Amino acid sequence: MSSVARKICFVTGSRADFGLLVWPMRAIRETPGLTLQLVATGMHLAPEFGYTFNDIRDEGFEVDERVETLLSSDTGAGVAKSVGLGVIGFADAFTRLGPDLVVVLGDRFEMFAAAQAAMFMRLPMAHLFGGDVTEGAVDESVRHAISKMAHLHFTSNPGSTRRLIQLGEHPSRIHTIGSVGIDAIKHLALMDCDSIGRAVGMPLRERNALITFHPVTVETGRSMAELDELFAALSALDPAFHFVFTLANADAEGRALNARIEAFAAGRPNTIAVASLGQLRYLSLMSHVDLVIGNSSSGLLEAPSFGVPTVDIGDRQKGRERAASVFHAAPERNAIAAAISAALQRGHQATVNPYGDGESSRRFADIVAGIPDFRQILAKGFYDLPASGARP
């Protein structure tokens, strides 16, 4: 093995993926023989989404390259053009950085752009959270496409590992390490109730909910109607209930949803909307609220580790593994209200989280460090499943 430190280049495009990547990046930085590179893109560089580039520095990381991708557009065509801009920008960034391994996470279109650039440049690539299922979003297709471009896989649960094998990825290249997002819950010193209330700009009361509602990208026009049903359900709750919304991401229709959320919050003293909380404030708030509501993956991946119940609305997360603390609701006001009632009745309870134990990042870094030559994993074949009887 070379004595020269090998460059592990992470790509981050939003508050969501950065929160998941913090601890894997720290683990890589602390591992002898590896050096960390970081490329910031997407919503990190957009003031309308909180300019979360500053959060990266606040966590003690230096950004090696910036790749601008976002257009001022709320359409599918705008997202498609952003992917094209991203491919060009990442090609330039990777040329300058010369990484030994590119690391991408999940299913965002920024990651799709980075993966395409890395693939055509013959750069070895690792993918986190491949094999997951979210049938209610175009992210489903993006995630599986990235998996086929990647050379190493780090999954959050055995079901995802099985699906990657079904996609033809060799079992030897797939490592089931759990969700890296749970590592933050284990290691962070979270803020107390009064401190987090001051940080978000609204004190917490007897009843509180953390709400995130992202676009439903598989069908144009559904997102706004589903959000209005959520508003109707929230409006019927006790007015003493306090709601903290974190705004939607930059998918198609995201800006329109955010305008509607901000208008809803502006007319209610018990409601506040914030563009981004950052990892510490987000997880601290999650630990103190009575329930998490919406269609974000964090309600399924992180909330169970706090024992906080989740009301998961609609199909955006359809297919994901779920803890007993997750209550699904159809995107209709009465169904949402019923799920909220059931979640409140359950309350905070210790729950087995199917996504791991908080040691995923160390596993990830150890596996990466143990690969003697990343170039040797560039060639990959299709892994055929054993025959199991006659064809239908």
Side-chain angles (χ1 to χ4, degrees), residues 6-332:
R6 296 182 294 169
K7 296 174 286 187
I8 313 301
C9 181
F10 286 73
V11 177
T12 177
S14 71
R15 69 191 187 216
D17 67 58
F18 178 70
L20 297 172
L21 290 173
V22 164
W23 291 95
M25 290 193 296
R26 286 178 176 163
I28 289 293
R29 191 167 59 184
E30 295 165 2
T31 301
L34 303 179
T35 188
L36 176 69
Q37 294 179 327
L38 183 57
V39 180
T41 186
M43 290 186 286
H44 283 308
L45 309 179
E48 66 183 305
F49 294 103
Y51 194 69
T52 49
F53 180 84
N54 292 327
D55 293 348
I56 299 174
R57 288 181 169 172
D58 290 344
E59 288 287 349
F61 296 101
E62 290 298 322
V63 174
D64 297 284
E65 291 280 347
R66 306 184 192 195
V67 175
E68 296 278 2
T69 61
L70 290 185
L71 301 176
S72 183
S73 171
D74 206 24
T75 67
V79 172
K81 292 177 182 179
S82 291
V83 172
L85 288 174
V87 173
I88 295 170
F90 283 112
D92 291 340
F94 293 153
T95 297
R96 288 188 290 267
L97 293 174
D100 295 291
L101 181 71
V102 174
V103 181
V104 294
L105 181 149
D107 48 31
R108 294 278 308 157
F109 62 82
E110 301 95 340
M111 298 297 158
F112 188 46
Q116 289 181 74
M119 177 187 66
F120 286 117
M121 295 175 72
R122 301 296 291 157
L123 295 173
M125 180 171 26
H127 186 207
L128 290 158
F129 288 93
D132 286 2
V133 176
T134 50
E135 296 178 15
V138 70
D139 303 353
E140 168 89 353
S141 299
V142 171
R143 185 187 309 105
H144 296 328
I146 293 174
S147 290
K148 293 308 298 179
M149 290 186 272
H151 308 95
L152 285 173
H153 308 279
F154 297 88
T155 67
S156 63
N157 63 90
S160 293
T161 296
R162 185 184 67 252
R163 282 186 284 271
L164 283 177
I165 295 172
Q166 288 179 274
L167 284 172
E169 298 302 294
H170 198 282
S172 66
R173 294 183 178 228
I174 308 169
H175 304 277
T176 308
I177 62 170
S179 170
V180 293
I182 299 174
D183 295 25
I185 296 172
K186 182 172 182 177
H187 297 292
L188 279 178
L190 300 177
M191 302 166 70
D192 62 37
C193 188
D194 291 338
S195 297
I196 190 59
R198 289 192 296 270
V200 301
M202 184 177 68
L204 303 187
R205 298 303 187 195
E206 184 177 350
R207 290 290 200 187
N208 306 277
L210 172 60
I211 307 170
T212 306
F213 192 88
H214 293 304
V216 184
T217 51
V218 292
E219 184 178 332
T220 303
R222 274 181 54 185
S223 301
M224 203 66 71
E226 293 188 8
L227 180 63
D228 286 342
E229 290 297 304
L230 170 58
F231 287 158
L234 297 179
S235 298
L237 291 175
D238 187 326
F241 225 117
H242 275 201
F243 307 120
V244 179
F245 278 86
T246 59
L247 294 182
N249 58 32
D251 287 329
E253 299 186 289
R255 291 172 176 84
L257 287 182
N258 287 341
R260 187 74 64 93
I261 291 168
E262 289 172 331
F264 179 83
R268 291 165 173 79
N270 66 333
T271 305
I272 191 169
V274 293
S276 176
L277 287 170
Q279 184 185 46
L280 176 60
R281 288 183 297 170
Y282 184 79
L283 291 178
S284 296
L285 180 59
M286 179 181 283
S287 73
H288 291 296
V289 297
D290 294 276
L291 73 166
V292 173
I293 304 173
N295 59 9
S296 169
S297 62
S298 62
L300 281 67
L301 272 65
E302 284 87 56
S305 291
F306 292 114
V308 176
T310 295
V311 173
D312 175 55
I313 300 171
D315 293 337
R316 197 172 193 274
Q317 302 301 330
K318 185 178 179 181
R320 282 197 190 273
E321 300 285 336
R322 294 165 185 266
S325 58
V326 178
F327 295 80
H328 181 261
E332 184 274 325

